[in-house]
C-alpha cells in the first residue's frame, strides 16, 4: 500500500476534519497542489496573497478547530509569517505547508530564484521554528509520513501552528499510506495523581472562599471546551464574567452572566464583581497590557486560580499533566456550590435610543443596528480598533459568537479571517466590523468572497483614519487616503460577481442597506458607514489614555 507524499498529506487533512485548504500557487508548490487536488479530501481555496491566505486559515481554524494552507518558497512563506504569528499568539492550529527547492539543489551550491541569493536554503525553516510548535523539513519520501504526522499531531495537541516543508520533487514521490488517524487525534491520558491533586487543591481554594466568580479568557477557544462552561456555572451557582477577548464565550442570556471584565472599561457592574471576589477562577486568560488596561487591572494572585490549556496554578502550587478539558470535566462533577457572587445582579448595558431615519449616522446608531442584526446564529468578527469596543458593548443573544484577535492585534486580519470563518461554518450568518485603516491592508480578499459567493455582511467603519491610534498618540501618520470603499465592489465583481457595495451616511440609509444585505445571498455586501472622525466609543478613549500612559513610562534608571 503506497501513496505519494502530497496525497498522504491530503488524506491526513481530510481525516482530521478539514473540508478546505487555502493556497497560493508558485512553481515550488505546483506539483503539491496537483497532488492535493488528485486526492481530493479537501477543497482548494485560492487567496490573493499569502498573508491573506494565512489569515483565512487562522479564521477557518477558529471555527473548525484546525486549518491548512499551502504556499511557495520564501516569497510566499515569508509573507505568510505575520499570519502564522497570529495563529501562534491566538492558539489556532494552522498547518502551513511550503513548497521548497528540489532536493538535488540543497547543498549543491546552485543559486535559485525566490531565495535570498545565497545557497543555504535552510533559513525559511529556521525562521518558521520560532512561530510554530513543530517544524518538519522533508528530505526523503520514506520519512515523510512520520514527519507529516508529527507536525499535525503536535499542532492539534499544542493548539499552535506547525510547519511542513516539501521539496518540489518529493510532492509526487511514493511513500507509505496512512494508518489510523486516531494516532493524531487522540488526547494523551491525564496523569491521575496530578489531576487528583489539582482537584483537591481546587477544593481547598473554593471551600475557603465565599465570593467565587468565573472569569473566562480567550484561550478557552483553543481548548474546545467552551460548551462545558454553562454546566460548571450551574453547579457552582456563581457569577460568570468574560474577558474582552472572550466576548461571547459564555451565553449572555444565561442567568449567571455578569458581563465583560476589562478593568475600568468593564461592562456595568463587572469590575466590582471580579475585583470584589475572593476567589476568581481564571479559565484560559491572557493578561496582557491591553487586557489589563495598561497594567492597571491586575488581580491579586492569592485570590486567583489560573487554569490554562495544560495545567493549573492555585494556592501557590502548579499542577500539570492534564488538559483543561480533563480538569473542567472533573471539576464540573465535584465543584462545591459557591453562589455568593451571584447575589449581585447583572447591571443592564446602556441602551442606545434609535436615531431618526434622516439623522447623520453615528457610531452609536451603527452599533445599535448591527447589534439588532446579530442573532443566535451569527458570528461577528471584530477587527482591531474601535470595532473591538463596539463588539464588547453589544448585548448578544445566546449562540452568537464573536471573533477578535486581541493578543496579536494585526490590522487587516479580519477580512480574510471572516472569509475563512464563513467557509468553515456556512450555515451561520457572518458579520464583519472593520475600520477603514485596517481594511486597506487586506481589502483585495473581498474579491475571494465574491468568487466563492460568501454572503458576508461587511460593515466598513469609515471614521477617516486610525482613530484608536489618534486616541493613544496623535500625529500625521494616523491620517490615511480616503477610498471609495463601496465603489470597490464593482471592481471586484467584474463580469460575473454578485457582491454589493453600499454607502450609509444616515440612520435610514444604514437600515435600508442592512435589508439589502440580508437579501443578497450570493456574495458579500459591503456597507460603508461614514462617521465623523471624532465619533468613537467612550471606552476607547478611556482605555487608550491608560494604555498610552503605560507605553510612555520612562526607562528605569539604576
Ligand atoms: C493601527 C491601528 O481605521 O480602525 O477604529 O479607526 O482605529 P479605528 P482603523 O482600522 O485603524 C486601525 C489603526 C494603525 N495599529 O487605528 S489599530 C498599528 C498596527 C497594527 N497592525 C499592523 N500595523 C500597524 N495594529 C499590521
Amino acid at each position: 500500500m503506497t501513496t505519494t507524499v502530497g496525497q498522504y498529506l491530503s488524506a491526513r487533512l481530510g481525516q482530521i476534519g478539514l473540508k478546505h485548504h487555502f493556497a497560493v500557487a508558485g512553481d515550488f508548490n505546483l506539483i503539491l497542489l496537483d497532488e492535493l487536488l488528485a486526492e481530493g479530501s479537501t477543497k482548494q481555496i485560492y487567496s490573493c496573497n499569502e498573508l491573506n491566505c494565512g489569515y483565512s486559515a487562522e479564521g477557518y481554524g477558529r471555527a473548525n478547530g484546525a486549518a491548512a494552507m499551502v504556499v511557495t518558497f520564501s516569497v510566499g512563506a515569508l509573507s505568510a509569517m505575520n499570519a502564522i504569528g497570529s495563529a501562534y499568539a491566538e492558539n489556532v492550529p494552522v498547518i502551513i505547508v511550503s513548497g521548497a527547492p528540489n532536493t538535488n539543489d540543497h547543498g549543491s551550491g546552485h543559486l535559485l530564484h525566490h531565495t535570498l541569493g545565497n545557497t543555504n536554503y535552510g533559513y525559511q525553516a529556521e525562521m518558521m521554528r520560532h512561530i510554530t510548535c513543530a517544524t518538519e523539513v522533508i528530505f526523503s519520501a520514506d520519512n515523510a509520513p512520520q514527519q507529516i504526522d508529527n507536525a499535525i499531531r503536535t499542532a492539534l495537541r499544542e493548539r499552535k501552528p506547525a510547519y511542513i516543508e516539501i521539496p518540489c520533487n518529493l510532492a509526487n514521490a511514493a511513500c507509505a499510506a496512512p494508518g489510523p488517524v486516531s494516532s493524531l487525534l487522540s488526547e494523551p491520558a491525564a496523569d491521575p495523581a496530578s489531576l487528583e491533586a489539582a482537584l483537591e487543591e481546587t477544593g481547598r481554594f473554593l471551600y475557603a472562599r465565599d465570593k467565587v466568580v468565573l472569569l473566562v479568557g480567550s484561550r478557552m477557544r483553543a481548548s474546545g471546551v467552551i460548551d462545558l462552561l454553562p454546566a460548571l456555572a450551574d453547579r457552582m451557582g456563581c457569577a460568570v464574567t468574560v474577558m474582552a477577548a472572550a466576548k461571547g464565550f459564555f451565553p449572555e442570556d444565561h442567568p449567571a452572566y455578569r458581563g465583560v471584565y476589562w478593568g475600568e472599561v468593564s461592562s456595568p457592574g463587572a469590575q466590582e464583581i471580579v475585583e470584589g471576589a475572593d476567589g476568581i477562577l481564571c479559565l484560559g486568560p491572557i493578561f496582557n497590557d491591553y487586557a489589563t488596561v495598561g497594567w492597571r487591572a491586575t488581580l491579586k494572585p492569592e485570590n486567583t486560580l489560573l487554569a490554562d490549556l495544560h495545567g493549573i496554578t492555585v494556592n501557590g502550587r502548579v499542577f500539570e499533566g492534564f488538559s483543561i478539558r480533563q480538569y473542567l470535566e472533573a471539576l464540573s462533577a465535584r465543584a462545591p456550590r459557591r453562589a455568593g457572587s451571584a447575589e449581585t445582579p447583572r447591571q443592564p448595558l446602556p441602551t442606545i435610543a434609535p436615531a431618526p431615519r434622516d439623522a447623520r449616522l453615528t457610531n452609536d446608531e451603527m452599533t445599535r443596528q448591527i447589534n439588532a442584526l446579530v442573532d443566535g446564529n451569527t458570528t461577528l468578527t471584530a477587527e482591531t480598533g474601535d470595532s473591538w469596543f463596539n463588539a464588547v458593548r453589544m448585548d448578544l443573544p445566546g449562540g452568537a459568537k464573536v471573533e477578535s484577535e486581541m493578543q496579536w492585534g494585526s490590522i487587516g486580519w479580519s477580512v480574510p479571517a471572516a472569509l475563512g470563518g464563513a467557509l468553515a461554518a456556512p450555515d451561520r450568518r457572518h458579520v464583519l466590523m472593520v475600520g477603514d485603516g485596517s481594511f486597506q491592508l487586506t481589502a483585495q480578499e473581498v474579491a475571494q468572497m465574491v468568487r466563492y459567493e460568501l454572503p458576508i455582511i461587511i460593515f466598513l467603519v469609515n471614521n477617516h483614519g486610525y482613530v484608536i491610534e489618534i486616541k493613544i498618540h496623535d500625529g500625521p501618520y494616523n491620517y490615511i487616503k480616503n477610498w471609495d470603499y463601496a465603489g470597490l465592489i464593482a471592481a471586484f465583481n467584474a463580469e460575473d460577481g454578485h457582491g454589493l457595495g453600499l454607502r450609509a451616511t444616515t440612520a435610514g440609509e444604514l437600515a435600508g442597506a442592512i435589508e439589502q444585505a440580508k437579501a443578497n445571498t450570493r456574495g458579500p455586501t459591503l456597507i460603508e458607514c461614514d462617521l465623523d472622525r471624532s465619533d468613537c466609543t467612550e471606552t476607547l478613549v478611556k482605555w487608550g489614555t491608560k494604555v498610552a500612559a503605560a507605553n510612555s513610562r520612562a526607562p528605569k534608571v539604576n
Side-chain angles (χ1 to χ4, degrees), residues 51 55 82 290 383-390 405 408-413 434-441 461-472 477-478 480 485 533 535-536 540:
L51 176 64
Y55 286 146
N82 187 347
Y290 277 11
E383 176 64 90
T384 300
D386 204 17
S387 298
W388 278 352
F389 296 86
N390 279 327
E405 194 216 25
W408 191 243
S410 183
I411 59 172
W413 159 83
V434 52
D436 49 337
S438 303
F439 185 75
Q440 291 196 1
L441 275 86
V461 187
N462 190 358
N463 55 12
H464 305 275
Y466 296 157
V467 169
I468 196 171
E469 301 290 359
I470 291 171
K471 298 297 169 190
I472 291 176
Y477 32 74
N478 291 329
I480 62 176
Y485 297 99
R533 186 178 292 135
D535 189 5
C536 64
L540 164 65

Side-chain angles (χ1 to χ4, degrees), residues 339-384:
S341 62
E343 285 163 17
T344 311
R346 180 181 177 194
Q347 289 184 29
L349 289 164
T351 48
I352 303 171
R357 285 187 68 81
D358 57 356
R360 167 93 178 92
L361 186 61
T362 62
N363 186 44
D364 278 353
E365 175 61 17
M366 177 190 73
T367 304
R368 188 191 70 77
Q369 291 198 26
I370 299 173
N371 199 161
L373 173 68
V374 172
D375 63 14
N377 192 38
T378 298
T379 298
L380 174 69
T381 300
E383 176 64 90
T384 300

Side-chain angles (χ1 to χ4, degrees), residues 262-264 286-298 543:
W262 198 356
E264 294 146 83
I286 296 183
F287 291 120
N288 64 13
D289 52 342
Y290 277 11
T292 59
V293 197
W295 310 120
R296 294 162 65 88
T298 46
W543 175 90

Side-chain angles (χ1 to χ4, degrees), residues 128 174 191 365 382:
M128 285 288 182
D191 173 60
E365 175 61 17

